[in-house]
Amino acid sequence: GENVEQHPSTLSVQEGDSAVIKCTYSDSASNYFPWYKQELGKGPQLIIDIRSNVGEKKDQRIAVTLNKTAKHFSLHITETQPEDSAVYFCAARYDKVIFGPGTSLSVIP
Amino acid sequence: DSGVTQTPKHLITATGQRVTLRCSPRSGDLSVYWYQQSLDQGLQFLIQYYNGEERAKGNILERFSAQQFPDLHSELNLSSLELGDSALYFCASSVAVGLAGEEQYFGPGTRLTVT
């Protein structure tokens, strides 16, 4: 069945450093790849997304890249800040959204 | 605040019981989605309703059912509850049928504990 893998499961970085989270998906028909941030006690919130006809998208300190051939996509956060600490989920969508297992990011001041 | 509301915030019940979780989508959104989040299974899509009709089905157990009412609010009914049903249940909404690029807005969740 459809599956999304995500690595690493936990990530600690120093404030100001970059963080990279990588995902792979199994369904080649997937055409939309959102990333969600979930803070403690809250629901997931969309932070950036990319469609299958685009290779890269950037929004201030956040960027996402997509390699459709390899079925890989990645989230890049630059100049990390303590408020970036949260759980991040990648997802792939064709007819329904399949989420990765999540990455717990800790930014150490 | 996403504009999606869920009640109750917390629910504690016993095995074998039945509960109903409620969700009100953002104003104007026609689709409602239900997700289950547990430590071992992650965030799992359960079911989607669009304008009152079931649109897509995920890993929803037969003991679970949902519906969307004419005012677009939705209820998720969980019956014959088991310990393993303890989880966070999220509702999300989107403006239309949920095509690629259509953002889903998540509610704050209902934490269900089955004892």
Side-chain angles (χ1 to χ4, degrees), chain A residues 52-90:
Chain A
S52 59
N53 58 349
V54 175
E56 185 173 353
K57 183 176 178 180
K58 190 172 180 180
D59 182 4
Q60 298 182 356
R61 298 186 296 109
I62 296 174
V64 58
T65 59
L66 171 64
N67 182 331
K68 278 211 72 178
T69 303
K71 292 191 277 187
H72 290 173
F73 58 116
S74 300
L75 178 72
H76 305 251
I77 305 174
T78 59
E79 301 172 22
T80 54
Q81 301 167 4
E83 51 266 38
D84 294 329
S85 296
V87 178
Y88 291 81
F89 293 95
C90 63

Side-chain angles (χ1 to χ4, degrees), chain B:
Chain B
D1 184 359
S2 67
V4 179
T5 61
Q6 289 186 249
T7 56
K9 195 172 176 65
H10 300 279
L11 197 49
I12 301 174
T13 189
T15 55
Q17 294 299 303
R18 182 179 189 274
V19 297
T20 298
L21 313 183
R22 183 187 168 103
C23 167
S24 292
R26 289 188 328 148
S27 177
D29 283 1
L30 298 178
S31 273
V32 168
Y33 311 76
W34 286 98
Y35 292 88
Q36 179 192 59
Q37 185 175 40
S38 58
L39 283 174
D40 58 342
Q41 292 288 321
L43 201 58
Q44 299 281 322
F45 167 69
L46 296 179
I47 198 164
Q48 176 197 356
Y49 277 81
Y50 170 70
N51 206 20
E53 299 290 327
E54 183 183 304
R55 168 93 180 159
K57 217 166 188 176
N59 302 321
I60 188 166
L61 300 172
E62 284 192 14
R63 301 183 286 109
F64 296 1
S65 65
Q67 55 184 324
Q68 186 179 27
F69 295 87
D71 67 352
L72 301 176
H73 90 272
S74 178
E75 292 181 355
L76 179 68
N77 300 296
L78 315 175
S79 61
S80 303
L81 285 167
E82 302 175 359
L83 295 177
D85 297 327
S86 296
L88 267 169
Y89 291 84
F90 286 105
C91 167
S93 72
S94 67
V95 64
V97 299
L99 297 176
E102 192 178 308
E103 182 172 353
Q104 292 186 22
Y105 295 86
F106 281 78
T110 292
R111 181 172 294 279
L112 173 67
T113 302
V114 182
T115 61

